[in-house]
Amino acid sequence: MGNDINIHPLGDSGLTIVVDDTISPEVNQKVLALAKAVEQNEFRSIIEVVPAYTTIAVYFDPLVTSYDYLSKSIHKTWKDLEIGDESISREEVIIPVLYGGEKGPDLETVAQHNGLTPEDVISRHKASDYLVYMIGFLPGFPYLGGLDKKLTTPRLETPRQEVQAGSVGIADQQTGVYPLDSPGGWNIIGHTPVKLFDPEREEPFLLKAGQSIRFKEVNEDEWHSIQERVKRGTYEIEVRRGGG
Amino acid sequence: MSVPIFSIKKEGVYTSIQDQGRYGYQSKGVPVSGAIDRYACLIANHLVQNSEEQACLEVTFGGTELIAEKDHRIVICGADLDAKLNGEVAPLWKTFVIQKGDTLKFGGPINGTRAYVAVEGGFDVPSYLGSYSVYERGGLGEKVSKSDSIYVKEESYTLVKRGVVEQYLPSYEKEIEVGVIPSHHHQDLFEEDSYAAFFETEYQVAGGDRMGIQLKNDHKLRFKNRGDILSEPTTFGTIQVPSSGNPIILMADSQTTGGYATIGTVATADLWKVAQLPPGGKVSFKEVSLDEAVERHKEQQELLKWI
């Protein structure tokens, strides 16, 4: 691979690999490819690998392996790493959203802040492809890239005590979906009945880093129907493959 | 065979089932969780001859009252929360046998903040994503509530007496010094004198929970420019510094990634001291090398074999 990576201790049982210092889909691709390679090469001696925007944490038991050994080995893995087309995920996960109304109380705020109509906000929000850069902060919470710059809106001055799971929000240059009921300061523009995290489900996590998502507008009837099917466990998430 | 061992008469401040942590899901945003004082939970399991992965009941501060539903051998390790068995002082760091109908009551903190109850055979509790540890915020189990019943895996128990000898007992101080392995942010993000002062001043515990401990003192950490970073991985012991300049030590329920600058991560061998630090307690930090931190962690694990 091209530029060099830097490795630093993260306490005595972890290390941080710094792959780059700016966010981009290309950097993210390198991060995910390296994370996967490290996971495969070091599976005997490590506990887990956590990729983020431009960095990766590798956790290990210092009684089993050492920082020095792993650093050397990871540098080598990086040197030998080849990033081909096959590591680009072509999956696009479709998230149905009911925009505005009770479920999207801040749609108007986002529109006003950007000099748009609520309809403009919706059409811009659903027009973009969003890359899942990383999952973090809360179980299943995706950090998404690709928000239309015209939708940039600062966080609420006073966060809400409780934001409902499934709420779709905008904070600064980011958009996201709350995987759980949680306090939060994002501008809520809509809601999806789809669960990003469900510990009872066979696959508890809907998304993984490297995938893309697209929001699809649904009306109230469709929203209710999807919610019913989600509850019964019969809703099939729409995944488009081979796009790109 | 699963049998009830305790019913909950009073839930207390915060009591939950915890083990040595949930690994393998941090890349999905799921915190590791587990006993805040891993060491005390581990010793508790050792003393009742359980395997390490068995769960303990983590009692925070006290106020918790348990009624024994059967005769069984148990142990309490960790903080002295003024535990009383039928009104008499209950043994700490020593196994004992409870009898059906007994009341085990945790009054309040005398020394330390978190006590761990282990039962021979292990608690029979639900496991979520491969761990018994309760992480309520993520919908992974619930804390203990009034009139809950807690089960044990084995009906039978032995009368083996085991305990930790005096010289190996950890002592929970109200003023502690902990080792810190510096983060890669420290050279670039913090003002130099401000960074140096972090290691020279004492901090007071302003508040905290299973996720983190908030610290304060008059010295505010200052940044060269700004302290926000691209979110990157954080772990149990990572010291984050938000724009307020007051550090936060992330604990067992640490979020998996964070967007604040970090100054370092507490040495594993010192995490139990932080775990048992009471509100108002004081902590100072000492920079340690990676080798030193690993050496001390090894020594501590060696010691466990002797207990």
Side-chain angles (χ1 to χ4, degrees), chain A residues 213-230:
Chain A
I213 73 167
R214 193 181 274 268
F215 296 106
K216 177 177 146 188
E217 187 178 8
V218 296
N219 63 33
E220 228 173 308
D221 287 346
E222 290 167 318
W223 182 90
H224 278 294
S225 148
I226 295 170
Q227 196 181 40
E228 263 315 300
R229 281 180 282 158
V230 168

Side-chain angles (χ1 to χ4, degrees), chain A residues 59-128:
Chain A
Y59 296 109
F60 57 91
D61 179 350
L63 305 185
V64 172
T65 184
S66 73
Y67 172 82
D68 289 338
Y69 168 79
L70 281 175
S71 302
K72 267 189 208 137
S73 180
I74 292 167
H75 274 292
K76 187 175 182 311
T77 301
W78 173 251
K79 252 172 76 186
D80 299 343
L81 191 65
E82 280 176 29
I83 298 172
D85 264 5
E86 73 282 359
S87 58
I88 307 171
S89 170
R90 300 276 185 194
E91 283 180 350
E92 193 177 62
V93 181
I94 310 299
I95 310 277
V97 179
L98 173 64
Y99 287 100
E102 257 176 53
K103 295 291 184 188
D106 305 320
L107 180 64
E108 196 69 43
T109 314
V110 174
Q112 274 176 16
H113 182 83
N114 293 288
L116 301 169
T117 64
E119 289 71 30
D120 288 338
V121 173
I122 296 170
S123 61
R124 282 174 185 272
H125 191 257
K126 68 185 188 190
S128 298

Side-chain angles (χ1 to χ4, degrees), chain B residues 84-128:
Chain B
K84 299 253 168 70
L85 184 66
N86 303 324
E88 302 283 324
V89 175
L92 195 58
W93 302 101
K94 274 190 201 98
T95 61
F96 60 101
V97 174
I98 49 166
Q99 277 162 351
K100 190 177 172 167
D102 281 354
T103 301
L104 181 60
K105 184 177 171 179
F106 295 85
I110 292 178
N111 204 356
T113 57
R114 290 177 172 96
Y116 294 84
V117 181
V119 298
E120 185 173 340
F123 286 110
D124 190 21
V125 285
S127 144
Y128 309 88

Side-chain angles (χ1 to χ4, degrees), chain B:
Chain B
M1 201 191 82
S2 180
V3 248
I5 179 164
F6 291 123
S7 58
I8 311 296
K9 195 171 169 195
K10 284 188 185 146
E11 59 189 54
V13 178
Y14 194 92
T15 302
S16 65
I17 289 286
Q18 299 294 337
D19 59 14
Q20 295 296 312
R22 174 178 292 109
Y23 292 94
Y25 297 95
Q26 288 190 82
S27 62
K28 300 290 190 185
V30 183
V32 173
S33 300
I36 300 230
D37 184 345
R38 294 279 208 270
Y39 201 48
C41 177
L42 209 56
I43 296 172
N45 273 323
H46 272 265
L47 293 179
V48 289
Q49 284 118 308
N50 286 348
S51 57
E52 286 182 4
E53 69 272 11
Q54 296 304 325
C56 286
L57 195 60
E58 180 181 85
V59 182
T60 310
F61 297 129
T64 313
E65 217 173 307
L66 312 171
I67 308 292
E69 293 294 324
K70 75 182 288 292
D71 300 3
H72 209 81
R73 189 170 70 106
I74 73 165
V75 70
I76 307 170
C77 291
D80 182 354
L81 299 182
D82 194 20
K84 299 253 168 70
L85 184 66
N86 303 324
E88 302 283 324
V89 175
L92 195 58
W93 302 101
K94 274 190 201 98
T95 61
F96 60 101
V97 174
I98 49 166
Q99 277 162 351
K100 190 177 172 167
D102 281 354
T103 301
L104 181 60
K105 184 177 171 179
F106 295 85
I110 292 178
N111 204 356
T113 57
R114 290 177 172 96
Y116 294 84
V117 181
V119 298
E120 185 173 340
F123 286 110
D124 190 21
V125 285
S127 144
Y128 309 88
L129 303 176
S131 160
Y132 299 119
S133 293
V134 166
Y135 171 59
E136 282 199 296
R137 211 176 159 208
L140 306 175
E142 287 176 357
K143 68 176 174 141
V144 157
S145 297
K146 195 181 162 179
S147 56
D148 282 358
S149 290
I150 308 181
Y151 289 72
V152 61
K153 286 177 178 166
E154 310 278 344
E155 160 86 71
S156 65
Y157 62 95
T158 63
L159 296 173
V160 178
K161 283 186 181 161
R162 292 186 82 185
V164 179
V165 289
E166 194 83 27
Q167 67 179 113
Y168 290 134
L169 287 182
S171 84
Y172 303 137
E173 310 291 341
K174 290 186 175 68
E175 292 182 21
I176 61 171
E177 185 186 73
V178 303
V180 172
I181 298 130
S183 132
H184 67 106
H185 297 146
H186 78 270
Q187 294 129 332
D188 308 333
L189 295 180
F190 296 97
E191 279 189 13
E192 266 167 51
D193 57 335
S194 164
Y195 177 76
F198 172 77
F199 291 100
E200 286 155 11
T201 53
E202 198 176 44
Y203 286 87
Q204 201 172 6
V205 176
D209 54 20
R210 287 190 40 85
M211 195 171 163
I213 292 180
Q214 289 101 38
L215 303 176
K216 61 168 189 196
N217 74 5
D218 295 334
H219 162 69
K220 302 268 184 281
L221 280 152
R222 290 184 314 274
F223 301 101
K224 283 179 180 160
N225 293 302
R226 48 184 302 188
D228 292 354
I229 57 161
L230 281 178
S231 286
E232 65 175 52
T234 51
T235 186
F236 191 175
T238 298
I239 306 166
Q240 281 191 327
V241 186
S243 50
S244 68
N246 292 320
I248 298 166
I249 309 178
L250 295 175
M251 300 301 283
D253 282 355
S254 158
Q255 70 254 34
T256 55
T257 59
Y260 295 130
T262 63
I263 204 155
T265 298
V266 174
T268 305
D270 288 335
L271 283 174
W272 63 272
K273 291 191 214 170
V274 183
Q276 297 289 359
L277 198 60
K282 287 176 177 160
V283 56
S284 51
F285 299 98
K286 183 182 162 219
E287 196 173 317
V288 292
S289 70
L290 193 54
D291 288 347
E292 193 184 334
V294 170
E295 207 39 56
R296 288 187 42 220
H297 176 53
K298 277 184 182 163
E299 279 167 18
Q300 235 173 49
Q301 295 298 312
E302 266 314 296
L303 204 64
L304 262 183
K305 293 180 189 159
W306 294 96
I307 289 171

